[in-house]
Amino acid sequence: MENLVQTIKNSVQTSMDSHFEHLHRHPEVAFEEQNSAKYIVDKLRQYGYEVFEGIGKTGVVGRLKNGDGIASIGLRADTDALPIVEKTDLPYKSKIEGKAHLCGHDAHTAMLLGAAEYLAEHKPFNGTLYLIFQPAEEIMGGAVAMLKDGLLEKFPMQAMFGLHNMPSLELGKIHFTVGPIMAAVDNWEIKLTGVGSHGSMPEKAIDPVVAGAALVMSLQTIVSRNVAAKDSAVVTIGAFQSGTVGNIIPQEAVLRLSTRTARPETRERVLNRIREITRLTAEAYEVKYEISESQPGAVLVNDPENTERATAVAQKVLGEANVVNPGPTFMGSEDFAFFAQQIPCVYGFIGNGDTPMVHHPEYVFNRSNLPLGAAYWVGIVQEYLK
């Protein structure tokens, strides 16, 4: 694998640059990635892959077989953009108002397409390779949709690998950690229903604003009083919506929550406390309540054996000085976790350097990472499909 990065640069750098700029100019948000999917399909067919469309609504799977090997693995990239206005002066900035690739999914897709082109041309492997272009990661929906469409039954694989850029980590270094690396996210909505009244006659009302205010404060005790200091959890009430003017007590109040938990047992504890505190607060303030629970969250857990193996591959490709294990863990979330619940998975981070964080309007992917990511993918295929 010596000099693989330079080989990738010489072979597919121009293609990756083209993929990246095209996708960045034409962002599509979760489950709307029709044009992105068509672009991916066209490229994969051009390279000689069998292509399967509509897996998980707008997901794409490419299959390439070589030799008589029975082993099979999957490499996954995410394809969706964010509903955010981009504030950069890039010559290839988003052409779609209010939508932008501000998490680097365009780059992840470009890296995988670059590796796809190289692997199809040189075929340095023996077995079956699946390339998984997954939609809707930003809403934690794409992985579940692909699994429901039979991804692993139609395309059986022994392991799956993912890679995400990460600002604040040193540029070009890949980080791996065995075990839990990203938190489960649960996005809930709580609706409190009382009795409205004129602001001058609160005695005729059952005020959902007061109940909601009490609930916000009570929910903030969950982490401090129910989660061990050595553990990690976050309960955020990001929206509290009620009323229109100051002299009307409204009928309803809506709270929108986001919880992050680093261990499955902590997740259950936190969510049960939300249910209990909401019920008891509603009773105390005589309001009715309704909790709308989202897609259940999942902690992203890296398979130990395959994480160490992937680390060794990255060291061969990038050099030992450019690979970190153990690396950091994050309270952010990834729906790659749902794949990891089904088969052995490895998720790594490639440092994006000192740039604004992902989801920031001024975030910029450092495109010097394109050949590094593609070379890592090629190395994984060469190692696992010998």
Side-chain angles (χ1 to χ4, degrees):
M1 296 183 188
E2 188 176 357
N3 297 322
L4 182 56
V5 172
Q6 188 58 50
T7 300
I8 292 293
K9 285 182 179 179
N10 295 339
S11 177
V12 297
Q13 181 71 58
T14 300
S15 295
M16 286 192 294
D17 286 337
S18 178
H19 301 325
F20 174 61
E21 293 188 6
H22 172 85
L23 293 166
H24 194 91
R25 286 192 184 100
H26 304 94
E28 296 173 297
V29 297
F31 290 129
E32 295 179 6
E33 310 95 337
Q34 297 287 350
N35 292 321
S36 299
K38 183 179 185 305
Y39 181 88
I40 292 165
V41 166
D42 290 345
K43 295 302 178 183
L44 291 178
R45 285 182 175 152
Q46 178 184 328
Y47 302 151
Y49 286 75
E50 295 178 85
V51 181
F52 304 86
E53 303 176 64
I55 309 297
K57 298 183 180 179
T58 47
V60 176
V61 175
R63 179 167 63 193
L64 186 65
K65 295 183 178 181
N66 191 50
D68 58 1
I70 61 173
S72 60
I73 62 168
L75 308 181
R76 174 267 202 177
D78 32 21
T79 62
D80 56 324
L82 286 159
I84 305 177
V85 176
E86 181 177 9
K87 294 184 179 179
T88 73
D89 57 0
L90 296 172
Y92 52 87
K93 72 179 295 184
S94 172
K95 291 184 175 181
I96 311 300
E97 183 64 30
K99 300 177 183 179
H101 272 292
L102 297 174
C103 198
H105 296 184
D106 48 352
H108 303 161
T109 298
M111 287 189 284
L112 192 52
L113 284 174
E117 181 179 0
Y118 179 89
L119 289 164
E121 180 179 354
H122 298 277
K123 293 186 173 66
F125 67 94
N126 183 26
T128 302
L129 169 64
Y130 295 108
L131 304 182
I132 300 144
F133 294 88
Q134 182 217 299
E137 186 279 328
E138 296 294 358
I139 64 168
M140 300 294 288
V144 171
M146 294 191 87
L147 289 169
K148 286 182 177 178
D149 270 359
L151 175 72
L152 298 180
E153 292 75 27
K154 297 174 182 175
F155 314 105
M157 57 196 84
Q158 280 80 58
M160 189 187 299
F161 301 83
L163 186 66
H164 200 295
N165 81 95
M166 183 57 68
S168 79
L169 297 184
E170 188 172 348
L171 180 63
K173 289 190 176 183
I174 293 186
H175 300 69
F176 300 98
T177 302
V178 170
I181 60 165
M182 296 191 78
V185 62
D186 290 273
N187 296 315
W188 287 9
E189 181 178 282
I190 300 173
K191 182 168 72 173
L192 303 176
T193 303
V195 176
S197 180
H198 193 282
S200 66
M201 293 179 281
E203 74 281 3
K204 297 184 179 297
I206 299 177
D207 194 338
V209 175
V210 174
L215 181 57
V216 169
M217 298 307 296
S218 296
L219 292 176
Q220 294 309 303
T221 68
I222 292 175
V223 174
S224 66
R225 290 296 175 268
N226 295 270
V227 178
K230 63 183 179 180
D231 199 356
S232 298
V234 176
V235 176
T236 295
I237 297 91
F240 183 169
Q241 299 171 340
S242 186
T244 54
V245 295
N247 65 344
I248 298 176
I249 295 173
Q251 186 88 1
E252 293 181 349
V254 174
L255 281 65
R256 294 191 174 92
L257 289 67
S258 177
T259 69
R260 311 273 174 161
T261 46
R263 297 193 305 153
E265 53 269 35
T266 305
R267 175 177 174 269
E268 288 304 313
R269 174 65 169 157
V270 168
L271 298 184
N272 283 335
R273 288 299 292 149
I274 292 174
R275 296 183 185 103
E276 292 167 359
I277 290 172
T278 300
R279 176 178 62 83
L280 293 170
T281 302
E283 289 179 3
Y285 288 87
E286 299 183 310
V287 297
K288 296 178 182 178
Y289 75 95
E290 180 181 349
I291 300 176
S292 298
E293 301 185 9
S294 65
Q295 165 69 44
V299 177
L300 175 51
V301 180
N302 272 343
D303 177 73
E305 178 183 348
N306 285 287
T307 300
E308 298 302 340
R309 196 172 174 187
T311 298
V313 170
Q315 289 172 337
K316 291 179 183 178
V317 173
L318 304 180
E320 291 189 15
N322 293 313
V323 181
V324 180
N325 184 347
T329 59
F330 297 94
M331 290 305 290
S333 304
E334 237 292 353
D335 72 349
F336 192 74
F338 295 107
F339 296 136
Q341 289 181 329
Q342 305 297 320
I343 60 173
C345 284
V346 180
Y347 195 77
F349 297 99
I350 186 165
N352 203 56
D354 185 19
T355 66
M357 185 48 69
V358 292
H359 294 215
H360 189 284
E362 297 175 359
Y363 160 85
V364 177
F365 175 80
N366 194 316
R367 58 200 299 170
S368 66
N369 277 333
L370 290 174
L372 305 183
Y376 166 68
W377 287 139
V378 172
I380 287 289
V381 174
Q382 289 178 317
E383 167 65 21
Y384 277 79
L385 303 180
K386 293 181 179 178

